Amino acid sequence: MWLSSLFGTITSWRSFRLGSIILCGLILTNCGDVTIRQLGTENLQNLQQIAVQDASGREGQLYGRELRKLLHIGGKGVENYNLISSISVSASSTLSVQGASSTLKKMTMTARFDLSDLTSGERLIADSITADATLGTVTSLYGQDKSETHARERLAILLAQRVVRRLQLYFLNQGQ
C-alpha cells in the first residue's frame, strides 16, 4: 500500500515538472518574434543636436537636467535645433469624496515647448504636455510642504521624459 502512494507521489511530481517545462518552452517560443531595437542612429544624432534652453526655478533646473541626460546620450552634437520650454503649475485643488472633505490635493504641471531649426529659424514643433499628481496625505504642515515639493520635482522629471519621447516621435516621422 505504501509503495503505491509513494509511486503516485513521484509520478505526480514528475508530471508537474514536465508540465512546467512545457509551459516555459511555450512562453519562450511565443516571445521569439519580438525584436527590441535601439533608436536609429539618425534619430539619435538629431536628438544630440538639440540645444536646450533652461527653464526658470527648481523645477526648470530638474527638467533641463533630465532633458539633457536623455537627449545627449553618447555626447552632445553640433547644435542644429533649439528647444525652448516653459513649465507652469496649476493651483492645487482639494479633492472630495461624496461630500466628505479630505486633505488630498491635485497638482497639474504643464510643459510647453518649441523646437526650431537654427539654420532656417523655422518652428518645427510646438506642443504642450501635462502631468498630474495627487499629494498631501500627510497631516502635518511640514509633511504637506515636503509632499508638494517632492511632487513638483517628480512631475518636472516626468514631463522631461515625455517631451523627449515626443521629440523622438517627431524625428521618427520625419525620417519616413
Side-chain angles (χ1 to χ4, degrees), residues 6-68:
L6 180 63
F7 181 71
T9 305
I10 292 172
T11 304
S12 64
W13 178 249
R14 285 184 182 168
S15 61
F16 175 73
R17 280 191 357 200
L18 179 64
S20 298
I21 291 171
I22 290 172
L23 180 65
C24 289
L26 288 173
I27 289 172
L28 291 176
T29 57
N30 283 336
C31 297
D33 64 343
V34 175
T35 57
I36 298 174
R37 294 177 289 155
Q38 290 184 346
L39 211 52
T41 56
E42 183 179 329
N43 197 341
L44 186 62
Q45 289 172 355
N46 285 334
L47 293 175
Q48 290 173 343
Q49 295 172 1
I50 296 176
V52 178
Q53 302 296 322
D54 290 326
S56 62
R58 171 73 177 149
E59 294 86 21
Q61 181 184 21
L62 292 171
Y63 173 81
R65 184 183 306 155
E66 187 72 13
L67 275 176
R68 286 182 186 88

Side-chain angles (χ1 to χ4, degrees), residues 4-171:
S4 65
S5 66
L6 180 63
F7 181 71
T9 305
I10 292 172
T11 304
S12 64
W13 178 249
R14 285 184 182 168
S15 61
F16 175 73
R17 280 191 357 200
L18 179 64
S20 298
I21 291 171
I22 290 172
L23 180 65
C24 289
L26 288 173
I27 289 172
L28 291 176
T29 57
N30 283 336
C31 297
D33 64 343
V34 175
T35 57
I36 298 174
R37 294 177 289 155
Q38 290 184 346
L39 211 52
T41 56
E42 183 179 329
N43 197 341
L44 186 62
Q45 289 172 355
N46 285 334
L47 293 175
Q48 290 173 343
Q49 295 172 1
I50 296 176
V52 178
Q53 302 296 322
D54 290 326
S56 62
R58 171 73 177 149
E59 294 86 21
Q61 181 184 21
L62 292 171
Y63 173 81
R65 184 183 306 155
E66 187 72 13
L67 275 176
R68 286 182 186 88
K69 182 177 89 173
L70 295 173
L71 289 174
H72 302 149
I73 295 173
K76 186 176 179 182
V78 177
E79 296 177 353
N80 288 330
Y81 306 102
N82 190 24
L83 181 67
I84 300 173
S85 302
S86 65
I87 296 176
S88 62
V89 180
S90 73
S92 301
S93 60
T94 304
L95 300 175
S96 62
V97 179
Q98 291 190 346
S101 65
S102 70
T103 59
L104 295 177
K105 294 180 181 178
K106 180 180 177 186
M107 178 188 297
T108 302
M109 187 177 283
T110 304
R112 289 177 180 78
F113 62 96
D114 292 327
L115 181 70
S116 57
D117 191 347
L118 286 177
T119 56
S120 67
E122 176 187 2
R123 180 186 287 179
L124 302 175
I125 183 174
D127 203 354
S128 65
I129 295 178
T130 304
D132 297 321
T134 304
L135 58 126
T137 58
V138 183
T139 56
S140 72
L141 294 177
Y142 174 77
Q144 289 176 3
D145 287 343
K146 283 298 183 183
S147 176
E148 184 172 347
T149 302
H150 187 64
R152 285 176 180 261
E153 292 174 355
R154 284 181 308 151
L155 286 176
I157 291 170
L158 177 66
L159 285 174
Q161 292 169 351
R162 289 182 179 176
V163 166
V164 169
R165 299 302 174 255
R166 179 65 180 94
L167 293 172
Q168 287 173 344
L169 287 173
Y170 171 76
F171 286 118

